[in-house]
Amino acid sequence: MAKGVEAGTVETDRPGGIIGVVNDYVTLTKPPIIVLLVITAIGGMFLAAEGIPPLQALGMVCLGGTLGAGGANAINHFLDQDIDAIMSRTIKRPVAAHRIAPMSALVFGIALNVGAFFVLTYWVNLLAASLTLSATLFYVLVYTGWLKRNTPQNIVIGGAAGAIPPMVGWVAVTGSLDLPALYLFTIVFFWTPPHFWALALMIQNDYQRAGVPMLPVVVGEERTVQNIFMYSMALVALTLLFGASDAVGLVYLASAVALGAVFLAFAWKLKRDYSVRRAKHLYLYSLLYLALLFAVMLADGVYRF
């Protein structure tokens, strides 16, 4: 809990006045996460279109995805306010620090998701809107509300929520869920555990204090890095298998090989000689890896060889 602030009260002495209020509400949406999710959705659109997708659909998917992901993240602040107030990494978040009332964050998150559903239904299609809503519901109810606090496999199962955006991008163009869309889902699904377990290794003391059973807290560092390496191998194998399909071309395949080799190198170094510094290196590269992999899909969709 923020020093000098009583539980259940809202800190009104916020630097910056209205700018500070706006900044706090933007913070609720977790913009860096939104950017990564939207990139994966755009990659799915370019692959489905085999080139540049319709610009209106592209813009509406970006808007709807931003609203949906931002709303889910705002609701996450509401649900996790108790553990956020314990962890040093999250103690300054707007709800945990009592700068925004919990119910205000909840209403804000719900409103954003209503907006996302309307935008995607009206300007894209109902399937894209339904997938986006399902991602929010799975994230806030299944992952945040249940898995996160009850099992060390929380992020393995919960990662399904973050794997839905590329499917949204695909169905925004095609109107149907096809095999390539499921491949994209699977790639992000297998990317999620090594990414978040690397983060968990960096801040495992925080998770332990908050009583969150992340994998390093439950099974220790050695088994965690072993799991990271196994999932990393599976991830790279899946990206290469996808490269053998008709959905992508040589631009994607060559990039997947290069990006995957670096990913495995970071994971192997972490497994061979564990340190928090190596975990941080893998964590940071995993963010770049996913962004570049899906950015390459844009290029592959336009320049197919």
Side-chain angles (χ1 to χ4, degrees), residues 14-95:
R14 179 191 288 108
I18 188 63
I19 295 177
V21 175
V22 172
N23 182 66
D24 277 340
Y25 274 94
V26 171
T27 300
L28 286 180
T29 67
K30 303 181 183 178
I33 295 177
I34 292 177
V35 171
L36 192 58
L37 294 176
V38 169
I39 288 173
T40 65
I42 294 173
M45 293 190 75
F46 272 73
L47 281 187
E50 297 184 0
I52 300 174
L55 294 183
Q56 177 175 294
L58 180 62
M60 291 302 104
V61 165
C62 290
L63 176 58
T66 296
L67 293 173
N73 290 331
I75 297 171
N76 171 265
H77 280 263
F78 168 78
L79 294 173
D80 274 354
Q81 58 185 289
D82 56 335
I83 60 176
D84 281 350
I86 297 172
M87 298 174 62
S88 59
R89 175 174 170 265
T90 56
I91 195 171
K92 293 183 179 180
R93 286 178 173 176
V95 176

Side-chain angles (χ1 to χ4, degrees), residues 141-302:
L141 298 179
V142 179
Y143 171 68
T144 305
W146 174 41
L147 294 171
K148 184 174 182 177
R149 303 177 189 231
N150 290 286
T151 172
Q153 295 300 310
N154 46 23
I155 203 62
V156 176
I157 306 167
I164 290 176
M167 297 172 67
V168 173
W170 182 275
V171 304
V173 173
T174 66
S176 61
L177 271 176
D178 307 303
L179 184 59
L182 299 179
Y183 263 118
L184 297 178
F185 172 91
T186 306
I187 287 171
V188 180
F189 184 83
F190 274 84
W191 167 86
T192 304
H195 167 72
F196 277 101
W197 285 336
L199 173 63
L201 286 168
M202 294 162 52
I203 58 171
Q204 59 181 302
N205 291 335
D206 256 2
Y207 283 123
Q208 190 165 23
R209 279 196 304 272
V212 179
M214 294 300 287
L215 197 64
V217 175
V218 176
V219 305
E221 295 163 350
E222 183 177 354
R223 285 185 59 187
T224 299
V225 297
Q226 290 173 353
N227 276 272
I228 286 175
F229 188 68
M230 287 190 296
Y231 269 88
S232 298
M233 288 193 296
L235 166 65
V236 173
L238 283 167
T239 62
L240 299 182
L241 183 63
F242 186 50
S245 72
D246 294 334
V248 291
L250 292 178
V251 173
Y252 167 84
L253 181 58
S255 301
V257 169
L259 292 169
V262 177
F263 199 108
L264 287 178
F266 277 115
W268 171 250
K269 288 179 181 179
L270 179 64
K271 180 178 181 295
R272 185 186 62 186
D273 184 20
Y274 168 75
S275 70
V276 173
R277 180 175 62 87
R278 291 185 185 275
K280 184 177 182 180
H281 289 167
L282 176 60
Y283 170 73
L284 293 175
Y285 177 72
S286 67
L287 292 167
L288 180 64
Y289 170 85
L290 192 67
L292 289 178
L293 187 70
F294 276 84
V296 163
M297 293 180 191
L298 275 68
D300 190 87
V302 177

